[in-house]
Amino acid sequence: MTATAQGITPQIRAKRPFGLRDKLGYMFGDFGNDFTFILQAMFFTLFYTNVAGVKPAHVATLLLVARIFDGFTDVGMGIIVDRLPVKDGGDRFKRWIKFIAIPVAIASALMYLSFIASFDSYSLKVVWMCATYFLWGSVFYTAINIPYGSMASVMSTDANDRAQLSVYRSTGATLAQLVITSLLPLVVFTTNTAGISVLNGPRMTTAAIVCSVLAVVCYAICYKLCEERVFTESTSHAGVGVGKMLKDVFSNRALGGLILAALLLLVSSLFLSGILAYLMLNWFGNGKLQSPASLAALIPAAVILIFLAPWLSKRFGKAEAGAFAMGVAGVVLLAAWLIKTESFWLWVAFYAVAMFAISTFNYLIWAFITDVIDYQEVKTGIRNDATVYSVYSWARKLGQAAAGGLTGYALAWVGFDSAAASQGLAQTDAVKSAIYDLATLVPGVGCLLVGLALVFLYPLKKKVVDENVEILSARRAADVVN
């Protein structure tokens, strides 16, 4: 490892060439992540309002408070990963996947134990909800997701390779979404004696346990197949103080632009995901309709974007392609809001087009953060992979919190009755109509704002990204000569 005028130059390890094995391994990593993350995004609020009988506003408040707390745990985890020494020949990021895979899976399953619905004390239900959610999200999910996400920047120095990793990561997420949003509704939704579609608590518990087991299997495959090739000393060895490191990270203009775009993206897409089950149960009258809707939205992306997204990135640039796609998604969702159709299949057509456009940006977004990490190294001479990623991850969690909080508060605002839902009773027509509006108008406006943020606030367009790669390659080549 060599100290230069620019800082500490990373070392390229002699390992097998980057290839399909790495991409598949990284794909399985996010497959594992999303067996708990997508499950939480899709079913957590619904489980606690419709099975446990917790008020939507209380669920929303938990999500907001937890994500603010995550600001400390995420950044703290990033600093730990960057500064904790690594043994000779060891891996800075992979080791966390090995140790945290089982704990995060157990914590996820604990959130969906249906016996809590029988608690006589409402306060005890809320305590269980909060304790298990913090254990999963703020502790164990943070401890595995920060190292996993940071690992992409050290698997290859090539920008196109990392765009491929982003695509394969998103493919893993899409596969998990297909399982959770397409298969689980067929299992967990049943019809009660009054003929009303409801979420079945015991079935939800079983489904959550199965998802946790599958998450561990996916993490094991990720650990086995991925290789870290770019190695730097811990930032503590480089003599970099925590204060200076954080100051450099938070002054990163590209990170700021990406954070705003990601916040808006997550508020839009996760709000849509969170409200989807309520839309199917109340506007269309059958929770199982979530399955064909999700298939229509996800299968085209899974089949096409694994090839199309890397081409778009290479031909036009990530930011350029993402901005255009999010503009299309916004226009389509607003059109669905304007016509307010009662035809399920017409609504699915709008939904499928919008989700394909959103997925186009999602398939590339993880390559954005590796570009930001390169930008950070170009500007400061220090490579803070995990710290940069952790700040970005926290911002994403704020978006997740805003989406979850917005979902709960919006349901409360339009008059959704959780007590009636937990007893298998129908909502009023006014509430059903308002849920349709929420499911189209809010994400539609949000998608348009994402596109505008990428155009005007994110500086790493294709030309700048290519220049940064050339600068870093020249630095490393000079270090080898010296």
Side-chain angles (χ1 to χ4, degrees), residues 48-49 52-59 116-129 418-419:
Y48 278 96
T49 58
V54 176
K55 296 177 181 179
H58 292 163
V59 182
I116 68 168
S118 63
F119 289 173
D120 293 330
S121 169
Y122 181 84
S123 297
L124 189 57
K125 293 178 182 180
V126 173
V127 168
W128 180 277
M129 176 183 73
S418 61

Side-chain angles (χ1 to χ4, degrees), residues 28 31-33 35-36 105 179-180 183-184 207-221:
F28 273 101
F31 207 160
N33 272 346
F35 266 124
T36 66
V179 173
I180 292 169
L183 296 182
L184 258 63
I209 293 171
V210 170
C211 286
S212 289
V213 173
L214 292 174
V216 174
V217 172
C218 291
Y219 283 134
I221 295 173

Side-chain angles (χ1 to χ4, degrees), residues 60 70 115 129 170 214 225 235 270 276 329 366 440:
D70 285 349
F115 65 75
M129 176 183 73
S170 296
L214 292 174
L225 297 184
T235 52
L270 291 182
L276 184 62
W366 300 109
T440 49

Side-chain angles (χ1 to χ4, degrees), residues 412-468:
W413 177 61
V414 301
F416 180 85
D417 189 340
S418 61
S422 66
Q423 295 170 22
L425 302 177
Q427 303 293 315
T428 66
D429 288 343
V431 170
K432 294 176 183 178
S433 178
I435 287 174
Y436 182 98
D437 293 338
L438 292 174
T440 49
L441 178 60
V442 174
V445 172
C447 287
L448 291 179
L449 292 176
V450 173
L452 292 173
L454 289 174
V455 171
F456 295 107
L457 300 177
Y458 181 71
L460 300 186
K461 306 302 191 289
K462 186 177 188 299
K463 181 180 178 180
V464 178
V465 170
D466 292 342
E467 289 173 352
N468 287 342

Side-chain angles (χ1 to χ4, degrees), residues 225-237:
L225 297 184
C226 292
E227 290 284 2
E228 296 182 24
R229 295 176 177 81
V230 182
F231 179 76
T232 58
E233 294 284 1
S234 68
T235 52
S236 60
H237 287 180

